[in-house]
């Protein structure tokens, strides 16, 4: 692939710039991904940073603090090279809010009360080994706490220098409107990929109109669009993809046909299929960042390469047409 500079983009109106491709660390936390290898994970994070990726996305819920701890170890001594994203709102230190799931034998609730957020940010700062988080996101929304109250505490933390910008994830249209009404929202973080494009008609127009960035997660659809999961793949029982209808044999066969459209474009750029999929994602209106998981240095370096790849307009159109031909009626 022709070596070009890493594409960087702003996080809303915060004044913070970050690489358009970010490293997502959900898998590094191990939960729902069959465990984790700490050394390999640290190597993956450092390989991302060395390859020019500045945006590192994590959360307390990823392994109940494990992913944040690993990120903290990996970025020690190079904090200035990283734009750090972490989150609040999935809690196990209190039983308030709404029960969501159980992890490691503990009930996890959605809760965004001010005192809880303050406790969470302090815990995250400690695990991450830093005194500020560049972009702080409400991970899942809490129907028991008014959004204005939640944002009020986030603004206080921003005034104190503990966070630098404010985001929200997994929002409804009503949630987004409430966040926008505060005037404090810099970005939202939502699932978006070739197989999940609903935000194009819901959130994207609103965010474009209001100068709000979108961090897209699961750009490779948990690996379905990586070009490495064919119809013959078998998933372990503790892999969340084991019983996921999106990974049905029929779906993998449809995706395999789409790969035949993408592969010649990848070959033209001396790139991988996954890199082209990520580049296509970043070429979509309103999609500012693409968060991509990596569990080893090879995956991390491959994902970083997508931030150097510029697809021509006709290549983006060819891929989009191929999606219409091959991804219809995909199982969800």
């Amino acid at each position: 692939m022709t070596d070009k500079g890493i594409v960087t983009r702003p996080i809303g109106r915060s004044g913070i710039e970050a690489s358009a491709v970010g490293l997502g660390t959900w898998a590094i936390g191990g939960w729902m991904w069959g465990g984790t290898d700490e050394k390999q994970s640290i190597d993956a994070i450092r390989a991302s940073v060395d390859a020019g990726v500045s945006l590192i996305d994590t959360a307390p819920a990823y392994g109940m603090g494990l992913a944040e701890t690993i990120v903290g170890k990996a970025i020690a001594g190079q904090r200035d090279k990283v734009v750090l994203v972490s989150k609040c709102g999935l809690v196990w230190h209190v039983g308030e809010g709404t029960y969501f799931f159980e992890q490691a034998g503990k009930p996890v609730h959605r809760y965004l009360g001010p005192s809880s957020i303050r406790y969470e940010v302090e815990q995250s700062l400690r695990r991450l080994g830093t005194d500020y988080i560049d972009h702080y996101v409400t991970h899942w929304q809490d129907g028991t706490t008014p959004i204005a109250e939640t944002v009020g505490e986030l603004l206080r933390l921003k005034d104190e220098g503990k966070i630098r910008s404010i985001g929200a994830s997994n929002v409804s249209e009503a949630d987004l409107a409430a966040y926008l009404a505060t005037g404090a929202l810099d970005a939202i973080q939502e699932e978006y990929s070739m197989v999940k494009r609903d935000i194009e008609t819901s959130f994207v127009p609103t965010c474009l109109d209001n100068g709000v960035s979108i961090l897209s997660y699961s750009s490779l659809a948990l690996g379905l669009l990586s070009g490495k999961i064919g119809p013959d793949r078998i998933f372990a029982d503790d892999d969340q993809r084991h019983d996921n209808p999106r990974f049905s044999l029929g779906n993998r066969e449809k995706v395999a046909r789409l790969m035949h459209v993408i592969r010649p474009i990848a070959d033209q750029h001396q790139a991988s299929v996954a890199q082209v999929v990520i580049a296509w994602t970043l070429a979509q209106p309103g999609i500012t960042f693409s968060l991509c998981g990596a569990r080893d240095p090879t995956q991390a370096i491959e994902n970083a390469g997508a931030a150097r790849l510029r697809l021509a307009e006709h290549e983006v159109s060819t891929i989009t047409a191929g999606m219409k031909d091959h991804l219809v009626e995909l199982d969800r």
Side-chain angles (χ1 to χ4, degrees):
M1 182 164 47
T2 303
D3 186 36
K4 294 179 179 174
I6 291 272
V7 174
T8 63
R9 291 175 173 174
I11 299 177
R13 298 192 178 99
S14 67
I16 302 168
E17 288 259 344
S19 57
V21 171
L23 174 65
T25 64
W26 179 17
I28 280 172
W31 178 60
M32 296 180 73
W33 289 89
T36 193
D37 179 320
E38 181 172 308
K39 182 185 181 304
Q40 185 172 263
S41 298
I42 289 172
D43 289 345
I45 296 165
R46 289 177 176 167
S48 287
V49 176
D50 290 345
V53 168
S54 58
L55 189 65
I56 308 291
D57 175 90
T58 191
Y62 301 162
M64 302 192 94
L66 180 58
E68 283 189 322
T69 299
I70 290 172
V71 169
K73 291 178 180 179
I75 66 171
Q78 51 182 351
R79 176 67 181 89
D80 59 330
K81 295 181 180 178
V82 172
V83 175
L84 201 53
V85 181
S86 197
K87 307 180 185 76
C88 60
L90 293 187
V91 302
W92 55 92
H93 66 283
V94 293
E96 297 181 73
T98 307
Y99 174 80
F100 195 19
F101 56 78
E102 190 167 296
Q103 186 179 165
K106 295 180 181 179
V108 176
H109 288 72
R110 299 185 191 185
Y111 184 55
L112 289 165
S115 62
S116 180
I117 291 173
R118 183 161 291 272
Y119 172 85
E120 282 206 85
V121 80
E122 295 295 350
Q123 295 300 305
S124 290
L125 291 171
R126 178 182 57 79
R127 287 189 289 256
L128 291 163
T130 185
D131 55 4
Y132 69 97
I133 294 168
D134 297 284
H135 186 58
Y136 201 52
V137 180
T138 56
H139 200 162
W140 285 86
Q141 301 310 307
D142 161 30
T144 71
T145 305
I147 284 171
E149 201 173 301
T150 294
V151 173
E153 184 64 19
L154 293 173
L155 285 169
R156 284 186 284 276
L157 291 170
K158 189 176 177 183
D159 287 342
E160 293 166 23
K162 292 182 178 180
I163 67 174
R164 297 179 64 208
S165 60
I166 294 170
S169 186
N170 302 303
V171 296
S172 67
E173 291 188 60
D175 293 332
L176 179 56
Y179 276 104
L180 289 172
T182 69
L185 186 68
D186 295 296
I188 61 170
Q189 186 167 323
E190 300 292 328
E191 182 178 359
Y192 177 80
S193 72
M194 290 179 172
V195 297
K196 193 175 191 308
R197 301 174 61 190
D198 52 299
I199 68 169
E200 290 179 352
T201 52
S202 55
F203 299 146
V204 167
T206 302
C207 288
L208 285 171
D209 287 346
N210 288 276
V212 171
S213 295
I214 298 176
L215 290 79
S216 67
Y217 67 83
S218 290
S219 302
L220 296 176
L222 305 181
L224 181 63
L225 299 168
S226 66
K228 299 169 186 173
I229 296 181
D232 56 347
R233 177 71 173 266
I234 297 172
F235 298 103
D237 289 349
D238 63 348
D239 189 316
Q240 62 170 314
R241 297 169 290 188
H242 178 71
D243 293 318
N244 187 331
R246 187 176 284 173
F247 286 82
S248 69
L249 178 60
N251 276 5
R252 283 179 280 150
E253 288 172 340
K254 291 170 187 174
V255 169
R257 290 192 283 274
L258 174 62
M259 294 299 126
H260 289 305
V261 176
I262 295 175
R263 199 156 275 117
I265 295 172
D267 291 344
Q268 185 70 29
H269 287 274
Q270 297 180 289
S272 69
V273 164
Q275 287 172 327
V276 172
V277 170
I278 296 166
W280 177 91
T281 302
L282 289 170
Q284 302 313 298
I287 306 300
T288 322
F289 301 97
S290 173
L291 300 172
C292 306
R295 299 184 72 172
D296 61 57
T298 302
Q299 291 175 345
I301 292 166
E302 180 181 359
N303 292 345
R308 301 180 186 275
L309 177 58
R310 276 66 154 179
L311 296 177
E313 200 171 307
H314 73 272
E315 293 172 325
V316 173
S317 300
T318 297
I319 294 167
T320 304
M323 290 159 52
K324 289 176 181 172
D325 290 339
H326 301 298
L327 296 186
V328 291
E329 297 178 1
L330 212 65
D331 294 329
R332 303 299 176 186

